[in-house]
């Protein structure tokens, strides 16, 4: 409050100087995060690196810069802006990739398998994390990445969980390692497991972490598998909103430390409600296809900017201090969702 009164009584010259300094610092940070995102997008087009999404490459580049040359202090304001404002806006725009029609296409049985696999994996991961002694927030981030939609779910969940940037980087690393393992292993298994193209597509969509990893794995078994996998995966992404809202309520209860929860004081993640609103609008087919495709491409770049900022805030030393237990948790979560969803598919599609 004192700072507000002081700034209010500053001379016009002093105030203009402060405004210019604020704009310069914001611009410096945005230039750095945007540059890393642009580099990640280019690297994604190179042979071999195409296996990794620009989001994964962006956070890796940010970590590399932070832990080698360091993050310039003048860029801090822009980095924070990328993490807070740009991130939430990008999550809202993710709704343009989803529609209620896609949920209908998956069918009641398919949607039930996707939902049960997601919920069971999330609960199992949080339970096992507690048994292993892994920090609660890190366990929740790993659970979100494994059960919902990879890196996007990790960074969206962290808005309400409020974990350390190192926790986010660790969770994203788990998504990268085990999602890539699924992408490479799954195409070898349809014949061995006697899965029809429909069943294999649903398995990919219900259990592989990232959307890009799902598409890469499923289309190797044919067009039918690829289309069903994509639709079921996007239906799974749609469950991000209720999960984040639920976690927001749980976090608020935890922060009350046994006191009665005042719902009016609960920090509501409004961006999730806007995300749902965009899904509903997209379901009405009111957006021109060309414009929507362009916005989706731009939004991938906005997400990459946010992940680059996350990397710039990540210390490898602190990651090392987290130990190897989160790695065990990520592996167990990956195996659980793979086996659990396959079991459900075998029961309903045998």
């Amino acid at each position: 409050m004192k700072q507000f009164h002081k700034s209010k009584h500053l001379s016009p010259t002093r105030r203009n100087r402060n405004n210019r300094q604020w704009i310069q610092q914001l611009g410096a940070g945005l230039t750095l995060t945007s540059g890393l995102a642009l580099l990640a997008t280019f690297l994604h087009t190179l042979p071999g690196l195409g296996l990794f999404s620009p989001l994964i490459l962006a956070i890796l580049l940010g970590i590399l810069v932070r832990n080698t040359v360091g993050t310039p202090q003048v860029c801090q304001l822009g980095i924070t802006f990328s993490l807070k404002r740009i991130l939430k806006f990008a999550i809202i725009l993710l709704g343009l990739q989803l529609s209620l029609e896609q949920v209908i296409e998956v069918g009641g049985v398919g949607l039930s398998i996707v939902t049960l696999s997601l919920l069971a994996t999330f609960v199992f991961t949080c339970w096992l994390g507690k048994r292993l002694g892994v920090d609660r927030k890190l366990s929740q981030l790993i659970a979100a990445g494994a059960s919902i939609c990879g890196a996007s779910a990790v960074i969206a969940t962290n808005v309400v969980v409020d974990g350390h940037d190192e926790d986010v980087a660790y969770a994203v690393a788990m998504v990268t390692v085990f999602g890539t393992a699924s992408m490479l292993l799954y195409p070898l298994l349809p014949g061995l497991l006697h899965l029809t193209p429909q069943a294999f597509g649903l398995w990919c969509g219900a259990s592989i972490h990232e959307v890009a990893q799902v598409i890469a794995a499923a289309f190797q078994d044919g067009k039918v598998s690829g289309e069903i996998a994509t639709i079921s995966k996007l239906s799974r992404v749609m469950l991000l909103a209720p999960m984040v809202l639920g976690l927001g309520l749980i976090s608020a209860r935890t922060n009350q430390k046994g006191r009665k929860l005042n719902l009016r004081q609960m920090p509501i993640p409004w961006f999730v409600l806007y995300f749902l609103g965009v899904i509903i609008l997209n379901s009405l087919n009111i957006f021109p296809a060309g414009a929507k495709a362009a916005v989706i491409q731009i939004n991938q770049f906005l997400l990459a900017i946010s992940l680059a900022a996350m990397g710039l805030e990540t210390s490898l030393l602190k990651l090392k201090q987290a130990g190897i237990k989160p790695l065990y948790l990520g592996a167990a979560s990956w195996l659980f969702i793979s086996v659990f969803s396959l079991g459900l598919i075998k029961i309903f599609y045998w």
Side-chain angles (χ1 to χ4, degrees):
M1 198 58 144
K2 288 181 180 178
Q3 279 187 333
F4 172 76
H5 288 306
K6 283 182 180 179
S7 62
K8 190 175 180 181
H9 296 293
L10 287 175
S11 66
T13 303
R14 180 76 176 274
R15 194 179 300 120
N16 289 337
R17 189 184 304 124
N18 287 346
N19 289 339
R20 284 198 302 271
Q21 186 178 22
W22 184 88
I23 292 172
Q24 288 171 354
Q25 291 179 352
L26 180 65
L30 288 176
T31 300
L32 177 58
T33 55
S34 300
L36 292 176
L38 192 62
L39 179 57
T41 303
F42 167 73
L43 291 175
H44 175 67
T45 65
L46 299 180
L49 291 178
L51 293 173
F52 304 100
S53 72
L55 305 185
I56 303 300
L57 294 171
I59 195 171
L60 290 175
L61 288 172
I63 291 172
L64 179 65
V65 171
R66 162 66 189 267
N67 293 277
T68 53
V69 298
T71 305
Q73 185 60 38
V74 70
C75 296
Q76 193 58 53
L77 183 63
I79 292 171
T80 302
F81 184 86
S82 299
L83 275 173
K84 303 292 183 183
R85 304 292 183 179
I86 293 180
L87 171 59
K88 291 180 181 178
F89 182 64
I91 292 171
I92 292 169
L93 290 181
L94 279 175
L96 286 174
Q97 301 179 46
L98 307 168
S99 71
L100 299 176
E101 184 181 358
Q102 291 168 338
V103 177
I104 296 172
E105 288 184 38
V106 174
V109 174
L111 186 60
S112 297
I113 290 173
V114 168
T115 304
L116 285 173
S117 298
L118 186 157
L119 292 174
T121 302
F122 193 92
V123 171
F124 168 79
T125 305
C126 292
W127 170 81
L128 184 60
K130 187 175 181 180
R131 297 297 291 265
L132 290 174
V134 177
D135 178 75
R136 177 180 58 84
K137 294 180 179 181
L138 177 54
S139 295
Q140 290 177 344
L141 293 178
I142 292 174
S147 65
I148 309 174
C149 57
S152 298
V154 172
I155 56 181
T157 301
N158 193 56
V159 175
V160 294
V161 171
D162 195 28
H164 298 296
D165 294 319
E166 288 76 22
D167 292 342
V168 176
Y170 211 131
V172 170
M174 296 300 97
V175 168
T176 306
V177 171
F178 296 112
T180 301
S182 292
M183 182 181 66
L184 298 175
L185 292 174
Y186 273 38
L188 305 176
L189 300 176
L192 184 64
L193 298 174
H194 306 291
L195 295 173
T196 64
Q198 292 85 351
F200 179 68
L202 181 58
W203 186 37
C204 289
S207 61
I208 299 179
H209 300 345
E210 290 272 0
V211 175
Q213 294 165 347
V214 169
I215 293 171
F219 272 99
Q220 292 188 56
D221 194 53
K223 184 179 178 182
V224 173
S225 292
E227 290 177 350
I228 291 177
T230 302
I231 294 169
S232 58
K233 176 61 177 177
L234 292 179
S235 299
R236 184 173 153 204
V237 174
M238 199 175 295
L239 296 172
L240 174 65
M243 288 295 292
V244 171
L245 287 170
L247 280 173
L249 179 60
I250 292 170
S251 296
R253 286 184 180 277
T254 302
N255 292 335
Q256 290 292 314
K257 296 180 180 178
R259 295 176 308 211
K260 187 176 180 180
L261 176 65
N262 187 342
L263 292 176
R264 287 178 296 181
Q265 295 178 352
M266 191 185 90
I268 299 173
W270 293 106
F271 73 97
V272 175
L273 300 181
Y274 297 142
F275 168 73
L276 284 174
V278 172
I279 292 175
I280 294 171
L281 290 175
N282 190 45
S283 302
L284 301 175
N285 294 318
I286 62 176
F287 301 117
K292 188 168 72 172
V295 172
I296 289 173
Q297 286 296 320
I298 293 170
N299 195 45
Q300 278 294 108
F301 187 69
L302 294 178
L303 285 170
I305 289 175
S306 301
L307 265 292
M310 193 72 69
L312 289 168
E313 293 285 84
T314 301
S315 166
L316 287 179
L317 179 61
K318 291 183 180 179
L319 272 180
K320 185 178 179 181
Q321 290 172 350
I324 200 170
K325 287 183 179 179
L327 177 62
Y328 296 151
L329 181 61
S333 183
W334 167 59
L335 289 172
F336 181 89
I337 195 170
S338 299
V339 174
F340 186 86
S341 59
L342 179 61
L344 292 179
I345 290 169
K346 282 291 188 179
I347 292 171
F348 290 104
Y349 286 88
W350 184 257

